[in-house]
Amino acid sequence: MTLDQLRIFVTVAEHGHMTKAAELLGISQSAASAAIRALESQHGVRLFNRVGRNIELAQTGHRFLPEAKAVLERAAAAHNVLEHVSQTVTGSLSISASQTIASYWLPRRLASFHEAYPAVRLSVTIGNTRQVETNVLDGRADFGLVEGRTESDILRRATVDEDRMMLVVARSHPEIPTTPAENLDIRALRWIIREGGSGTREALEDFARSEGVSPAELQIFLVLPSNEAVRQAVEAGAGAAIISELVVARSLAEGSLRSVPVDLPKRDFAMITHRDRQPSLAQMALKAHLTGKADASSTGRG
């Protein structure tokens, strides 16, 4: 039994799909299948049931999964000890980031981190705030980067930047009526929103409550799974949205969208990590880089 076999088994078990697991691990589907077959053959057990084109954990696989995860976590802890002794920043980092951060804020920062620490391999997955939180809690990601609130009390949060939210409509959108108190009548708008669990949707719901309006009272016209889809729907005149300035800056400059003056609070971009997991040197270096606390004299080359 090897660590590679355990790593492949855990990844296949978590995703329930051999090809998807192979892609995530950067190996061929045949190599992943061979590793699982070898593990089963060595111990005379069946870890997965093959159901048509799909696979699912067998009873033995269910019992084995937490033990396999524990071994991989101990191996990672041992690697961290040696890394700290050598003071060489190497290894791999998995980052789970929400859409606005992953698409507009993170890429340049990861590029500059790679220049400083070329021996560190980076991988990024994208989801909404709730999905990112789950990935960090389950150990599928070393770091999470979110713009929404997190719920678990075993996560540490560190602010890395601020984001400005805007209420935007198409250039041709009619003027928005006001209430007797001369506030925007947000009940009169058709809204384009993100899915539940996203920080962008959370910002709209918070704004509605601050105006004394229940989110349930809003006219929700479209629920879309990405910022780009929301932006394009608003540009097409489908309704209004509250969205990050990072997403709509170009559209505002080009005139396809216009912003509606409204007092929206800034929101934090936050890094989340698991309180009970010991960070590696690479994790500490990335955290320092993203929070602006990196030592400019360090090179990361050991």
Side-chain angles (χ1 to χ4, degrees):
M1 182 184 305
T2 68
L3 289 178
D4 282 342
Q5 287 175 331
L6 292 181
R7 193 170 291 109
I8 292 168
F9 164 73
V10 169
T11 306
V12 173
E14 287 182 339
H15 292 85
H17 198 281
M18 193 73 70
T19 302
K20 176 65 173 178
E23 290 174 354
L24 291 170
L25 292 167
I27 61 176
S28 67
Q29 188 271 339
S30 59
S33 298
I36 297 298
R37 286 196 302 270
L39 193 57
E40 291 177 324
S41 176
Q42 288 164 10
H43 300 279
V45 298
R46 172 171 289 184
L47 298 172
F48 294 95
N49 293 319
R50 280 71 176 178
V51 183
R53 294 185 176 182
N54 299 319
I55 59 173
E56 58 184 29
L57 275 173
Q59 184 176 1
T60 302
H62 278 291
R63 294 177 58 189
F64 183 52
L65 182 58
E67 301 299 329
K69 285 183 172 182
V71 170
L72 292 175
E73 288 180 0
R74 291 300 302 158
H79 172 81
N80 290 346
V81 170
L82 295 179
E83 188 181 65
H84 279 273
V85 171
S86 69
Q87 291 296 300
T88 301
V89 183
T90 60
S92 60
L93 289 176
S94 57
I95 304 161
S96 186
S98 52
Q99 285 192 23
T100 304
I101 293 174
S103 299
Y104 298 94
W105 184 87
L106 188 59
R108 290 185 180 181
R109 288 165 174 82
L110 290 187
S112 60
F113 178 81
H114 178 68
E115 289 182 4
Y117 301 96
V120 178
R121 187 178 68 179
L122 301 167
S123 63
V124 179
T125 58
I126 302 175
N128 62 37
T129 294
R130 203 61 56 232
Q131 292 165 338
V132 171
E133 179 178 14
T134 299
N135 287 341
V136 176
L137 289 171
D138 291 349
R140 290 194 291 267
D142 299 311
F143 287 103
L145 290 163
V146 298
E147 63 262 7
R149 289 186 291 268
T150 48
E151 298 177 351
S152 174
D153 59 2
I154 62 173
L155 293 177
R156 291 192 177 100
R157 284 180 68 105
T159 299
V160 295
D161 209 342
E162 287 186 333
D163 185 34
R164 181 186 175 199
M165 302 299 289
M166 307 186 77
L167 197 168
V168 295
V169 294
R171 178 175 54 187
S172 59
H173 193 282
E175 290 300 316
I176 302 171
T178 58
T179 67
E182 297 187 354
N183 295 325
L184 289 177
D185 186 0
I186 62 175
R187 292 184 183 88
L189 287 169
R190 293 196 309 176
W191 289 96
I192 316 299
I193 66 172
R194 286 278 307 281
E195 78 287 356
S198 76
T200 299
R201 177 164 175 165
E202 184 180 276
L204 169 61
E205 292 173 346
D206 287 347
F207 171 63
R209 294 186 188 101
S210 73
E211 295 290 302
V213 177
S214 166
E217 297 178 75
L218 299 176
Q219 295 186 59
I220 306 302
F221 177 64
L222 278 175
V223 180
L224 295 170
S226 73
N227 290 324
E228 286 302 304
V230 170
R231 179 185 59 77
Q232 291 186 34
V234 176
E235 286 182 348
I242 286 179
I243 198 165
S244 169
E245 182 180 21
L246 295 174
V247 178
V248 296
R250 177 174 295 181
S251 297
L252 291 170
E254 293 173 348
S256 57
L257 291 178
R258 63 181 175 87
S259 63
V260 178
V262 64
D263 186 18
L264 292 169
K266 291 182 178 180
R267 63 178 181 175
D268 290 339
F269 284 167
M271 172 183 288
I272 56 174
T273 53
H274 198 291
R275 184 185 64 196
D276 298 330
R277 294 195 179 100
Q278 177 68 28
S280 66
L281 280 180
Q283 291 169 6
M284 290 190 290
L286 180 58
K287 180 176 181 179
H289 187 80
L290 295 181
T291 57
K293 298 177 181 178
D295 181 354
S297 65
S298 65
T299 65
R301 291 173 169 82

